[in-house]
Amino acid sequence: MQIKNSLTIIILFILTGFTASAQIDTTVYNLTIRQETVNKAGKEVVGMTVNGDIPGPTMRFKEGDYAIIYVKNEMEEETSVHWHGLLLPNFYDGVPYLTTPPIHPGETQKYEFPLIQSGTYWYHSHTMLQEQSGVYGSIVIDPKEGETLEYDKELVMVLSDWTNQKPMNVLRNLKRGNEWYNIKKGTATPLNRVIARGAFGAQLNFWRQRMESADIADIYYPAFLTNGEQAQEYPQFEPGEKVRLRIINGSASSQYWMTFGGKAPLLVAADGLNVVPVKHNKTFIGIAETYDFIVTIPEKGKIEFRATAQDGSGYTSAFLGKGEVIVAPEVERPDKIGMMKQMAQMDMRMGAPAMKFNPAEEEPHELMKNWGMQMDDEMNMEMNQDMKSDKVDSRMEEMDHSQMELENDKNMKKASSKNQIRGMDMFSEYNYDYLKAPSSTVIDEDKPVRDVLLNLTGNMWRYIWSMNGVPLSEADMIKISKGEKVRITFNNLTMMHHPMHFHGHFFRVINKHGEYSPLKHTVNVPPMQKTVIEFDAIEDSDWFLHCHVLYHMIGGMARAVSYDTERDPRMAKYPAKNLFKEGNRFYNWGMVDVASHMTELNLVSSNIRNQFNLNTEVGYNENMEAEFTYERYLYDYFRVFAGVNLENETENSLDEISATAIAGIRFFTPYMFNLDVRVDNKLRPEIRISREIMIFPRTAIFGNYEYQADFGWVNTLTDEGTNEPIDYKGETTWSAGVEYFLSRNFSLMGSYDNRFGAGGGLSIRF
């Protein structure tokens, strides 16, 4: 509810003690967050609403006004609200435990700040995964001096994605490495399709680097929404009217290609700030970005606006006007196998570590040197030719190291786009060269420059995300000082896009327009590419910097940027470590196979460094094995473990159960084998190796091999037939099987195990 009248102003003045001059143009909103049953994708589920709706209401202000917003929490858990893109006092930025206290159940929190900008912005929860459940809405701030753009009407459109699952279950599913989401949306790359496309060599290249395939989007969504619905009709717009569309990507994990039916629209603003108007139909909108377009309603028909999910798994539409539909151009679905073939031709080292043996030693330049695009002699020669033709040699002598890196990046992009070097054009569409600031954005050249290199790193196998190989829970703050020009190079060493958002600041996104590079608050960094930003360090306190793919942020791709000033005393009761440790909680999952020949139970509890495992196999022929282990990850793919193993001493009899202590190492090898090397308290070494491969859509094969050697170092060995002493005994265990995925939680399975025999049944994941 909006209140804007003189009586309210007087009351607020009396109650709050603010001076009359600060309250003359005060706009007040009340927001209530609660849990309610909603239906966004054909099923009633519990969501989180703002003032009873998803998305929440559009809050409208005027530049120069003073905003007061009361947020009431009617849920049974903490919540928060971040005002995305707004420049405001640090205490009201809305990141719980870092800048702002959390809003506890039953509490109402007051936010107040002057409005010193205009444009299209939005708000959302910054507490765990609540944004995915519906806690988001839009903000429009009208310019103080009146609008300079010409249009008749306007429309705010909030794009979002919707899952009927609980968001924590989505994250748990990602942590366990379940392929169901790719299967469900048809983006899996099973071996039969890879071979049919002649891409087996490319597949081997991916497996060698511990990657299953080219990844685009992680999660299956049954619906993509525009203002809370899969399709929207806006017949109120009349022929000839110019309509300003304020488009906000409020999705948790989806990025879109936006297309328009009819003539190309006029792009007039990005992230709330005006740009030089340009006609631009196919536009990529990253998560948390905003774009403003002006469209003209045609004399006949209605325009379709379509936002197509980046992986082609669905879209949402809005129709402007009346009459026959003028269809928006379709965006071709990405060819993941084709991408794999292209990447196999490039000298690219993928799989940079998401966690390090010693997180205190980041070594970002070493990481950049050893991973990602590797420059060969041919590419270096082409770059050098371009640099000479552009007459940059003399300028290079005057540059500092960071400027030289920036110039090298520019010329690498130029060389690759000009010559299409072995597939490097793959991500050429993902740039900001169509954006040009209307005036110079250059920061005072006399200011001292601080260069920060942030390699964006991730591990899809365990779904851990980080910067410079260090997830948030293990990272130090990035220290900067007021008065500096800070230049950050985002070097994406993963196969996914990362929309990077920096709270409380606008930054220059360095593009071909140089002095007129646009200002933004969120920038998309494409796979295996570099993006350079610059900002004027004029704030104080600590500000959050993170990937706005919600599950990547919770997974660890975030940092606090600190001006190294004294913390607000009002935050004394709210330690920042509560935020930093959010991504290091334990996630639990399990699976049980109920088959005709055996039953197997697997339980896992895991955080970034620690994992507990319980595995039990019981055959109906009275053979069994159970094992409990604790393992410690030293880095992404290597861990040490210890535990206890139980198994029957005599074949086909449970009368005597032997317990042994075990210790060893586990390693996720190139080509994606799980290797286990151990020894028990009887000094019997053992090796185990296992692998699973998806061969058809929904169908995977798996196998496991174990060999234990006993040299009689502890117990005397005898031959089972003659009872004569022997020096060595070996035991081999192996199994192989096939699994057909019915759903996220259920599969049909059949297997043979040399201990339990052959059989089939049902696999249940939970």
Side-chain angles (χ1 to χ4, degrees), residues 362-406:
E362 288 199 17
E363 301 175 329
H365 289 279
E366 194 70 19
L367 197 62
M368 181 174 67
K369 176 183 176 182
N370 293 331
W371 299 87
M373 285 301 303
Q374 306 297 306
M375 300 287 286
D376 60 17
D377 293 338
E378 178 187 351
M379 193 180 300
N380 272 318
M381 181 179 68
E382 289 168 347
M383 279 179 54
N384 289 336
Q385 288 174 349
D386 274 308
M387 290 169 68
K388 288 177 182 178
S389 66
D390 289 343
K391 299 179 181 178
V392 298
D393 290 319
S394 60
R395 287 188 290 120
M396 293 290 281
E397 295 178 2
E398 300 172 5
M399 291 181 180
D400 61 23
H401 177 73
S402 61
Q403 288 174 308
M404 291 178 68
E405 272 192 2
L406 182 58

Side-chain angles (χ1 to χ4, degrees), residues 272-473:
L273 303 182
N274 287 348
V275 296
V276 174
V278 59
K279 291 184 178 180
H280 206 262
N281 196 333
K282 183 185 176 186
T283 305
F284 185 76
I285 183 168
I287 298 167
E289 291 185 314
T290 74
Y291 284 101
D292 291 23
F293 293 89
I294 295 177
V295 299
T296 301
I297 305 301
E299 293 300 322
K300 293 183 179 179
K302 56 185 175 183
I303 297 172
E304 179 189 17
F305 161 82
R306 180 180 294 194
T308 303
Q310 184 184 9
D311 65 351
S313 60
Y315 64 89
T316 177
S317 291
F319 300 93
L320 314 174
K322 296 182 285 289
E324 190 173 336
V325 176
I326 303 173
V327 179
E330 291 188 10
V331 177
E332 186 177 351
R333 189 166 190 158
D335 180 2
K336 290 178 65 174
I337 296 177
M339 291 170 62
M340 292 168 61
K341 293 172 72 174
Q342 280 187 293
M343 284 184 275
Q345 298 172 8
M346 303 161 66
D347 191 6
M348 177 188 294
R349 190 180 180 201
M350 299 178 284
M355 51 190 287
K356 297 168 62 69
F357 180 77
N358 183 359
E361 297 179 1
E362 288 199 17
E363 301 175 329
H365 289 279
E366 194 70 19
L367 197 62
M368 181 174 67
K369 176 183 176 182
N370 293 331
W371 299 87
M373 285 301 303
Q374 306 297 306
M375 300 287 286
D376 60 17
D377 293 338
E378 178 187 351
M379 193 180 300
N380 272 318
M381 181 179 68
E382 289 168 347
M383 279 179 54
N384 289 336
Q385 288 174 349
D386 274 308
M387 290 169 68
K388 288 177 182 178
S389 66
D390 289 343
K391 299 179 181 178
V392 298
D393 290 319
S394 60
R395 287 188 290 120
M396 293 290 281
E397 295 178 2
E398 300 172 5
M399 291 181 180
D400 61 23
H401 177 73
S402 61
Q403 288 174 308
M404 291 178 68
E405 272 192 2
L406 182 58
E407 194 70 25
N408 279 330
D409 291 340
K410 288 179 181 177
N411 283 281
M412 186 177 76
K413 291 176 182 176
K414 184 185 298 182
S416 62
S417 62
K418 180 183 293 185
N419 300 293
Q420 306 292 296
I421 299 172
R422 288 189 293 280
M424 281 187 65
D425 63 316
M426 190 185 317
F427 305 113
S428 61
E429 284 187 297
Y430 300 102
N431 64 66
Y432 291 97
D433 285 347
Y434 55 90
L435 295 181
K436 181 179 181 180
S439 59
S440 174
T441 60
V442 171
I443 301 168
D444 186 352
E445 295 294 342
D446 293 331
K447 290 195 170 189
V449 177
R450 182 185 295 268
D451 282 287
V452 178
L453 172 60
L454 294 176
N455 296 286
L456 307 182
T457 44
N459 179 338
M460 285 295 295
W461 179 51
R462 299 185 63 227
Y463 213 78
I464 293 172
W465 300 92
S466 59
M467 298 184 196
N468 293 337
V470 183
L472 176 63
S473 62

Side-chain angles (χ1 to χ4, degrees), residues 48-111:
M48 296 179 180
T49 65
V50 184
N51 288 6
D53 209 354
I54 299 174
T58 297
M59 296 193 293
R60 194 160 202 120
F61 303 95
K62 188 171 183 179
E63 182 184 8
D65 284 2
Y66 195 83
I68 295 180
I69 306 168
Y70 294 95
V71 180
K72 184 178 182 182
N73 181 9
E74 292 189 354
M75 302 189 297
E76 296 180 354
E77 60 185 81
E78 289 181 1
T79 192
S80 60
V81 178
H82 166 57
W83 318 101
H84 191 107
L86 295 194
L87 302 173
L88 38 61
N90 180 266
F91 183 72
Y92 296 110
D93 187 55
V95 181
Y97 298 102
L98 181 66
T99 65
T100 313
I103 311 173
H104 294 290
E107 290 186 353
T108 297
Q109 189 155 293
K110 178 184 180 183
Y111 298 81

Side-chain angles (χ1 to χ4, degrees), residues 629-649:
T629 59
Y630 162 76
E631 56 189 40
R632 173 75 176 179
Y633 280 84
L634 301 184
Y635 80 103
D636 277 29
Y637 306 116
F638 184 85
R639 64 259 199 213
V640 295
F641 74 93
V644 61
N645 180 279
L646 304 172
E647 57 184 317
N648 54 304
E649 192 72 23

Side-chain angles (χ1 to χ4, degrees), residues 127-376:
T127 299
M128 288 299 292
L129 301 172
Q130 291 179 359
E131 182 192 327
Q132 177 74 90
S133 295
V135 186
Y136 53 85
S138 52
I139 297 172
V140 175
I141 306 175
D142 295 314
K144 178 168 48 177
E145 302 301 332
E147 188 56 68
T148 58
L149 297 168
E150 293 184 5
Y151 56 91
D152 302 301
K153 295 178 180 177
E154 67 175 45
L155 175 67
V156 176
M157 295 197 299
V158 181
L159 308 176
S160 59
D161 44 28
W162 185 262
T163 175
N164 288 328
Q165 290 182 252
K166 293 179 179 179
M168 283 301 294
N169 287 343
V170 171
L171 184 54
R172 183 181 295 111
N173 198 64
L174 295 169
K175 288 280 187 182
R176 73 186 299 167
N178 190 340
E179 277 290 308
W180 173 249
Y181 291 145
N182 279 325
I183 294 171
K184 181 66 175 175
K185 59 187 178 179
T187 58
T189 54
L191 195 57
N192 71 315
R193 292 179 179 172
V194 169
I195 293 174
R197 293 280 303 279
F200 186 63
Q203 182 67 81
L204 287 176
N205 179 58
F206 267 73
W207 285 345
R208 179 176 59 85
Q209 301 188 75
R210 301 183 179 92
M211 299 181 68
E212 193 62 51
S213 67
D215 202 16
I216 298 174
D218 299 324
I219 300 165
Y220 164 71
Y221 287 107
F224 300 99
L225 310 177
T226 300
N227 289 341
E229 301 294 336
Q230 296 182 49
Q232 290 278 11
E233 294 278 353
Y234 296 103
Q236 67 267 32
F237 302 121
E238 299 296 333
E241 287 185 330
K242 292 184 176 181
V243 182
R244 179 175 187 164
L245 302 177
R246 300 179 181 268
I247 303 171
I248 301 161
N249 187 356
S251 299
S253 186
S254 300
Q255 314 198 84
Y256 305 94
W257 285 108
M258 301 183 293
T259 55
F260 298 78
K263 296 181 180 179
L266 192 66
L267 193 162
V268 296
D271 285 2
L273 303 182
N274 287 348
V275 296
V276 174
V278 59
K279 291 184 178 180
H280 206 262
N281 196 333
K282 183 185 176 186
T283 305
F284 185 76
I285 183 168
I287 298 167
E289 291 185 314
T290 74
Y291 284 101
D292 291 23
F293 293 89
I294 295 177
V295 299
T296 301
I297 305 301
E299 293 300 322
K300 293 183 179 179
K302 56 185 175 183
I303 297 172
E304 179 189 17
F305 161 82
R306 180 180 294 194
T308 303
Q310 184 184 9
D311 65 351
S313 60
Y315 64 89
T316 177
S317 291
F319 300 93
L320 314 174
K322 296 182 285 289
E324 190 173 336
V325 176
I326 303 173
V327 179
E330 291 188 10
V331 177
E332 186 177 351
R333 189 166 190 158
D335 180 2
K336 290 178 65 174
I337 296 177
M339 291 170 62
M340 292 168 61
K341 293 172 72 174
Q342 280 187 293
M343 284 184 275
Q345 298 172 8
M346 303 161 66
D347 191 6
M348 177 188 294
R349 190 180 180 201
M350 299 178 284
M355 51 190 287
K356 297 168 62 69
F357 180 77
N358 183 359
E361 297 179 1
E362 288 199 17
E363 301 175 329
H365 289 279
E366 194 70 19
L367 197 62
M368 181 174 67
K369 176 183 176 182
N370 293 331
W371 299 87
M373 285 301 303
Q374 306 297 306
M375 300 287 286
D376 60 17

Side-chain angles (χ1 to χ4, degrees), residues 443-444 446-449 480-486 535-539 563:
I443 301 168
D444 186 352
D446 293 331
K447 290 195 170 189
V449 177
I480 64 174
S481 298
K482 201 170 204 174
E484 295 177 331
K485 176 168 71 174
V486 181
F535 66 90
D536 197 359
I538 58 174
E539 295 290 338
Y563 281 84

